[in-house]
Amino acid sequence: MIRSEQEQVRLGSLQQLRDLGINPYPAEEFIVSHRSEDLRDGFKEGVEVSLAGRMMSRRIMGKASFAELKDAQGSFQLYLNRDEICPGEDKTLYNSVFKKLLDRGDFIGVKGVTFLTKVGEPSVKVLEFKVLSKAIRPLPAVKTDEDGNVHDAFSDPELRYRMRYVDLCVNDKVKDTFVARSKIIRTLREAFDNEGWLEVDTPVLQAIPGGAAARPFATHHNALDIPLYLRIANELYLKRLIVGGFEGVYEFSRNFRNEGMDRTHNPEFTILELYVAYKDYNWMMKTIENLLGDVAKSVHGGKAKVVLAGQEIDFTPPYARITMRDAILENASVDIDKLDEDGIRSACKKLGIDVDESMGRGKLIDELFGEKCEHQYIQPTFITDYPVDMSPLTKTHRDKPGYTERFELFINGTEVANAYSELNDPIDQRERFESQAKLAERGDDEAMFIDQDFLRSLEFGMPPTSGVGIGVDRLVMMLTDQTSIQEVLLFPQMKPEQF
RNA sequence: GACUUGGUAGCUCAGCUGGUUAGAGCAUCUCACUUUUAAUGAGAGGGUCCUGGGUUCGAGUCCCAGCCAGGUCACCA
């Protein structure tokens, strides 16, 4: 293996540490008394502390030095004085070990006493230090000046995503994004648990990849000798649990779709699915807008207004509600209620939308909405009442024939949530699956598979239920002002690197 | 999948119509420096110019093919 100059120097230092009897990778615990931010809060001088972390920078001034020690909370300044580190004649520990053999990026543990420097910087005067782990590769040397400008940022997206560990070490804002992601998920989970809804785990490996229309990843089970698929959705399993008597179930579901990748799509992604018995989609709209208002506040210090791509998004409920028919009427001047399938098809063609004969009425309406409407909805907006043939798992509308009780939530022109009054009529559900099968014959490769066991479960009776799926990754993007899904996934999908 | 932009030192980037030994800042190494904080001063080393072909007296630069990434589009109800 070819090593760079800097790596060779570090490997040499590693050997010299060993020659001095210092284990660069010790096994024993290092007791930490404080972490950086805790120590800074209510800082007092003269406190004995022990800290551990990564040494991010050093300023050596002859017989004294300063260093930045970075832990999970932040950074803290260390002060080292030769004669306090080495009270006797032997100055090796300071002159050789600290000044020569340690490098930026090494983990060290220190024991010392807190004090304020001349310029008032809270610091630890180090009396003892210990090598905890030697780094062989140099971290990028990112520096921030007194005005907060970042110099020589580690910014190449390919390197950042492939080596997220380095990204997290040197780009503090990256860590903040993932802390926010965790907080968003925790806030959602706490809200559901407070309602008494049950968090469940359902199969990731499925024999029939149902609940959505998407190309699955296929695999094979050797012992059973059958094909299995990574789930594209978990919806049909959660409904079986409502049949089984749970009145509220939810799952943070990692789903897998074998499709294109772009700024808002990764092959694996997380959907929060929630199903609550005896509720309808009107109740779900209220629930979702209140929930997202609270989630926004939880990550923005009590404020429900967030900035996303330079625009302010207000998560304060209530959110605008508009039917799909009215949305299309407003944005494309087409009244879908007055047109049959062929009428809508020719309206699409006039608007320059690419359509073909395999598309049914619902699919045509969906194209029309996707092309002309959805990008208009920047502030949180519920689009309601979708055509029945695009929504094979949704209850028909209580008083609008041909439509369903479904809504999607759009924020910043992107779909964030999709919810229904769930279809619980087993006869109707069977017919819907059959018409999906007909669409498939007609050439629609996104039509759903028929899941006979799911139909059987409905025949045992499912209470009226409302369900929702929330795109967790997209929600995190919107609450952390990120425009790429890769920025909210710790390890976004990449082509394998050649070593 | 299509189009497009890019790939040069550990990191961030220059490198003109092809022309001596490929540059800068930070980082690294050596020396100095006992309160600095983008520490400072002096000096030094460090390169598969993404890979493979081609054109040419001569290629980081031009051409072809490939690899990887970003962006846009398609796809993803």
Side-chain angles (χ1 to χ4, degrees):
Chain A
M1 176 168 195
I2 298 163
R3 290 290 189 180
S4 72
E5 183 194 34
Q6 295 194 47
E7 289 168 347
Q8 289 176 35
V9 168
R10 283 163 180 251
L11 287 167
S13 300
L14 181 76
Q15 187 55 50
Q16 286 184 59
L17 285 172
R18 290 207 156 105
D19 293 345
L20 286 167
I22 295 168
N23 181 356
Y25 304 105
E28 64 273 17
E29 177 184 17
F30 184 84
I31 307 284
V32 174
S33 72
H34 292 78
R35 288 197 286 175
S36 55
E37 289 308 312
D38 296 337
L39 189 55
R40 204 183 314 279
D41 288 347
F43 179 79
K44 275 189 234 158
E45 290 192 89
V47 180
E48 286 188 25
V49 297
S50 62
L51 304 178
R54 198 189 280 276
M55 187 171 71
M56 295 302 285
S57 69
R58 258 187 322 181
R59 295 178 289 281
I60 297 173
M61 284 155 297
K63 298 180 186 67
S65 300
F66 290 90
E68 293 301 320
L69 191 71
K70 186 174 193 177
D71 63 19
Q73 292 186 338
S75 290
F76 210 83
Q77 178 166 273
L78 306 179
Y79 171 75
L80 293 90
N81 180 308
R82 187 194 68 181
D83 295 330
E84 299 204 58
I85 299 282
C86 309
E89 288 299 306
D90 183 3
K91 306 298 184 189
T92 307
L93 207 54
Y94 180 77
N95 283 340
S96 296
V97 177
F98 178 74
K99 280 171 65 177
K100 303 287 182 193
L101 304 181
L102 286 188
D103 292 288
R104 249 177 63 257
D106 291 352
F107 281 90
I108 58 172
V110 303
K111 291 179 183 170
V113 182
T114 58
F115 77 109
L116 285 171
T117 64
K118 276 204 284 204
V119 292
E121 177 79 19
S123 306
V124 170
K125 181 186 288 179
V126 175
L127 302 173
E128 291 174 48
F129 70 88
K130 179 174 179 173
V131 180
L132 298 180
S133 181
K134 179 85 193 136
I136 296 308
R137 293 178 186 255
L139 286 171
V142 180
K143 294 196 173 188
T144 307
D145 67 21
E146 57 190 11
D147 300 325
N149 301 313
V150 177
H151 299 261
D152 303 311
F154 179 59
S155 58
D156 183 319
E158 179 171 5
L159 297 180
R160 287 183 50 233
Y161 301 149
R162 287 196 193 282
M163 297 190 285
R164 185 68 95 181
Y165 36 90
V166 175
D167 192 29
L168 289 164
C169 282
V170 302
N171 293 328
D172 288 337
K173 283 180 183 167
V174 173
K175 197 182 269 179
D176 294 343
T177 299
F178 292 101
V179 170
R181 180 179 175 118
S182 175
K183 193 166 193 177
I184 289 163
I185 290 171
R186 195 163 60 248
T187 302
L188 292 167
R189 180 174 275 127
E190 280 170 5
F192 299 156
D193 289 346
N194 286 340
E195 296 289 341
W197 300 331
L198 189 72
E199 182 166 16
V200 297
D201 292 295
T202 65
V204 174
L205 283 174
Q206 302 181 350
I208 300 169
R215 284 170 60 196
F217 286 92
T219 184
H220 184 263
H221 190 279
N222 291 339
L224 296 176
D225 193 23
I226 53 167
L228 286 176
Y229 303 88
L230 296 180
R231 68 178 167 202
I232 56 174
N234 64 346
E235 169 160 354
L236 303 186
Y237 283 92
L238 294 187
K239 288 184 185 174
R240 285 170 168 99
L241 295 176
I242 297 293
V243 170
F246 293 114
E247 294 185 356
V249 290
Y250 70 94
E251 180 174 16
F252 288 92
S253 174
R254 188 71 65 91
N255 294 343
F256 306 84
R257 296 186 183 177
N258 201 345
E259 284 159 356
M261 295 163 59
D262 63 25
R263 267 197 353 272
T264 54
H265 297 84
N266 193 70
E268 57 182 290
F269 61 103
T270 304
I271 294 279
L272 164 64
E273 293 268 348
L274 166 70
Y275 291 80
V276 183
Y278 311 118
K279 305 298 186 186
D280 66 4
Y281 79 142
N282 293 314
W283 172 88
M284 186 63 86
M285 275 187 259
K286 286 189 206 122
T287 301
I288 294 299
E289 64 193 2
N290 287 325
L291 189 62
L292 295 191
D294 290 345
V295 171
K297 285 184 198 166
S298 80
V299 285
H300 285 92
K303 287 188 216 155
K305 291 182 181 174
V306 310
V307 173
L308 175 60
Q311 300 180 99
E312 188 176 78
I313 309 277
D314 189 354
F315 282 85
T316 308
Y319 301 164
R321 289 160 167 72
I322 181 168
T323 65
M324 175 158 276
R325 179 228 174 203
D326 290 346
I328 292 172
L329 193 57
E330 280 179 19
N331 292 291
S333 303
V334 175
D335 187 349
I336 56 174
D337 278 356
K338 295 190 174 141
L339 296 169
D340 61 6
E341 181 178 313
D342 288 330
I344 294 171
R345 185 175 289 111
S346 58
C348 283
K349 283 177 185 162
K350 269 183 214 155
L351 290 164
I353 299 167
D354 199 17
V355 295
D356 64 57
E357 296 307 308
S358 81
M359 291 177 176
R361 187 166 186 277
K363 178 119 183 162
L364 290 165
I365 291 169
D366 192 69
E367 286 290 321
L368 196 50
F369 180 77
E371 287 295 319
K372 296 293 170 192
C373 306
E374 68 176 43
H375 301 292
Q376 310 290 327
Y377 299 105
I378 303 301
Q379 296 301 320
T381 303
F382 292 119
I383 305 297
T384 67
D385 303 348
Y386 284 60
V388 66
D389 49 349
M390 285 306 291
S391 309
L393 303 169
T394 313
K395 192 172 275 193
T396 49
H397 198 279
R398 62 196 73 182
D399 46 38
K400 288 186 198 165
Y403 290 93
T404 57
E405 299 207 348
R406 172 180 179 180
F407 71 81
E408 290 187 341
L409 174 62
F410 286 84
I411 304 173
N412 198 36
T414 306
E415 179 197 341
V416 174
N418 181 16
Y420 319 140
S421 296
E422 300 295 338
L423 178 55
N424 62 343
D425 175 342
I427 312 293
D428 191 358
Q429 182 67 79
R430 188 174 294 278
E431 287 167 4
R432 302 280 194 96
F433 275 137
E434 280 162 3
S435 66
Q436 286 288 303
K438 279 182 194 138
L439 283 177
E441 284 168 24
R442 198 167 150 182
D444 186 345
D445 55 6
E446 290 157 1
M448 287 185 190
F449 297 88
I450 298 183
D451 186 331
Q452 296 291 350
D453 175 71
F454 171 67
L455 287 171
R456 178 168 62 190
S457 76
L458 291 189
E459 289 172 2
F460 281 97
M462 183 174 88
T465 298
S466 186
V468 66
I470 298 175
V472 172
D473 310 294
R474 290 181 182 177
L475 180 62
V476 173
M477 286 166 65
M478 289 172 189
L479 292 174
T480 57
D481 193 17
Q482 296 296 341
T483 53
S484 167
I485 197 169
Q486 295 171 110
E487 296 292 347
V488 301
L489 298 171
L490 282 166
F491 300 101
Q493 191 61 238
M494 304 282 276
K495 277 209 182 184
E497 199 176 350
Q498 297 299 315
F499 283 95

